[in-house]
Amino acid sequence: MAEAKKLAKDNYLFREGDAADAMYIIKSGLLAVTKTKGQSEVMLAEINPGAMVGEMGLFDNKPRSANVKAIKETEVIALPYDSLNKQLDQLPVWVRAILKNLNETIRESNKKIKQLETANADEERFPPHVINKFMSILNFVFNKYGKPEATGVSISSVLLRNYTIQIFQEATNKMTAMVNALTELGYLTQEDRGDGTQKITNLKAAELFAFVDWYNDWLFKQEKDRKEPLTEQECKVLNALILFAKKVPTDNKGLNKVDLSVVQNESMKEVGALIKPDDANSLVEKKYLGDKIMDGTSVFAPVELPFVEPQAQNWSLVNNLKKKLR
């Protein structure tokens, strides 16, 4: 049975995750559809008089997928699912099937649109050149104003903020995200000074300077001259091979030949993961390793440590930053 319901401004009709038990027709006022994001809400749409909301749960009984609240004093007509289902039961089976299928299609389409929007937002926020730009700003401020300390080089968060926004005219929230990511990864530390500012210490200044030069060189090389990037898993394999390469002598060509059978047998103990001989194949294909060498019954991977160590370190940082900066 339909019933009227009034909502004062900023009151919720329902919240994300609530059980769905009715759909609503807006009689007067204005509603907002929002999604909770951290401590705030993002508005997705406005619902005007004459429109309806909450109808999708009628077919699949899934929890509410968003918040709906009144932007101003609003009156809605509630149509309980129990009453609507009785009316639906009177429709032919094929009509109910079409309605249910349409509902599922709309819900899946909305989900895919949301995923694409999220992916695009992440891509626009921190594409590779933006990562390197903010790393460069960070390096510049540390190089020019950093104070040497026992653990590294330190600067004030105020100084970094001022340079980011005033000199380079970039968003300070992005710099904050970059600093937090590098802190989590062990490159920086942050210490509150008690006045709302922080002392930021760079623990690995040389590595971050080298990273910017390396990444800039990779980004602006012609595609035909640029090695393919390493995935997170490939970095794990390469780091394991580096560990084992350091245990064997370097030959007259500057290579350390790693027995892949030894790696498979001892990798779980040494690196906490099973590294199989075939795991090195993609590294050979991408030319981070030379071709495998057969010697008797053993297969060896030639590792050029001066080349692959910075590659593994830098691609690991790229992959970790992409995850942290989503």
Side-chain angles (χ1 to χ4, degrees):
M1 182 178 179
E3 60 180 49
K5 181 176 181 179
K6 291 186 176 180
L7 292 171
K9 180 183 177 182
D10 294 329
N11 280 11
Y12 286 84
L13 181 61
F14 51 77
R15 292 177 183 269
E16 184 178 353
D18 286 351
D21 59 0
M23 61 177 282
Y24 303 89
I25 298 174
I26 292 76
K27 185 177 180 182
S28 63
L30 187 63
L31 294 175
V33 181
T34 70
K35 290 285 284 186
T36 303
K37 188 173 184 180
Q39 301 299 314
S40 60
E41 289 182 68
V42 178
M43 182 180 288
L44 303 179
E46 292 184 355
I47 308 175
N48 295 296
M52 68 177 73
V53 65
E55 72 280 5
M56 295 180 73
L58 174 63
F59 298 96
D60 56 22
N61 294 314
K62 290 184 178 179
R64 302 298 191 186
S65 59
N67 311 304
V68 173
K69 69 177 182 180
I71 296 178
K72 59 183 179 180
E73 187 173 316
T74 300
E75 184 175 3
V76 299
I77 305 298
L79 302 172
Y81 290 163
D82 288 344
S83 299
L84 293 172
N85 278 320
K86 290 177 183 177
Q87 296 181 46
L88 286 174
D89 288 342
Q90 298 175 21
L91 296 173
V93 174
W94 64 270
V95 174
R96 297 201 303 270
I98 289 174
L99 291 173
K100 186 174 182 179
N101 185 63
L102 284 172
N103 178 76
E104 291 174 353
T105 300
I106 291 170
R107 190 180 284 276
E108 283 302 310
S109 295
N110 288 340
K111 187 187 297 184
K112 288 177 181 177
I113 289 169
K114 179 67 178 174
Q115 290 170 347
L116 286 171
E117 287 174 343
T118 302
N120 288 339
D122 290 341
E123 183 103 8
E124 291 171 3
R125 183 170 166 77
F126 279 105
H129 72 279
V130 171
I131 286 177
N132 222 33
K133 179 187 289 186
F134 279 87
M135 291 281 277
S136 297
I137 296 170
L138 196 65
N139 281 343
F140 172 79
V141 178
F142 270 114
N143 185 52
K144 187 170 179 64
Y145 297 104
K147 296 179 181 178
E149 297 192 353
T151 57
V153 183
S154 67
I155 57 173
S156 163
S157 61
V158 175
L159 181 65
L160 180 59
R161 181 185 183 281
N162 289 345
Y163 260 83
T164 300
I165 193 169
Q166 294 175 6
I167 305 299
F168 294 98
Q169 299 182 349
E170 293 291 345
T172 55
N173 66 316
K174 288 187 178 181
M175 180 57 79
T176 299
M178 177 64 72
V179 169
N180 289 340
L182 290 170
T183 299
E184 289 182 39
L185 294 171
Y187 285 85
L188 308 178
T189 61
Q190 299 180 67
E191 180 184 334
D192 287 329
R193 287 176 160 167
D195 58 358
T197 68
Q198 294 80 38
K199 180 176 79 170
I200 304 172
T201 303
N202 191 337
L203 307 178
K204 302 177 181 180
E207 286 185 25
L208 293 184
F209 271 103
F211 171 83
V212 167
D213 289 340
W214 167 84
Y215 205 23
N216 185 68
D217 179 64
W218 184 85
L219 286 170
F220 290 98
K221 270 185 179 177
Q222 291 188 23
E223 191 168 347
K224 64 181 181 65
D225 298 324
R226 192 165 62 186
K227 287 188 181 296
E228 289 185 59
L230 294 179
T231 65
E232 184 177 1
Q233 178 59 26
E234 287 170 337
C235 286
K236 289 179 181 178
V237 174
L238 186 54
N239 278 315
L241 293 177
I242 288 169
L243 176 67
F244 283 92
K246 291 181 177 179
K247 297 181 179 183
V248 297
T250 305
D251 66 15
N252 57 7
K253 295 182 180 178
L255 301 174
N256 298 65
K257 296 176 183 176
V258 178
D259 188 330
L260 294 177
S261 297
V262 173
V263 174
Q264 179 170 257
N265 294 334
E266 299 181 9
S267 58
M268 187 61 72
K269 179 181 68 175
E270 294 289 341
V271 300
L274 177 63
I275 306 297
K276 296 177 290 186
D278 285 350
D279 292 338
N281 290 351
S282 63
L283 296 171
V284 174
E285 291 170 7
K286 292 182 177 182
K287 301 189 184 305
Y288 287 90
L289 298 176
D291 291 334
K292 292 179 182 178
I293 301 168
M294 288 288 297
D295 189 352
T297 59
S298 297
V299 179
F300 294 83
V303 178
E304 187 181 350
L305 286 172
F307 166 65
V308 296
E309 279 195 275
Q311 296 290 335
Q313 177 179 290
N314 289 328
W315 282 121
S316 294
L317 180 53
V318 169
N319 290 322
N320 284 325
L321 284 174
K322 285 181 178 178
K323 287 196 300 183
K324 298 291 184 185
L325 294 172
R326 284 177 183 169

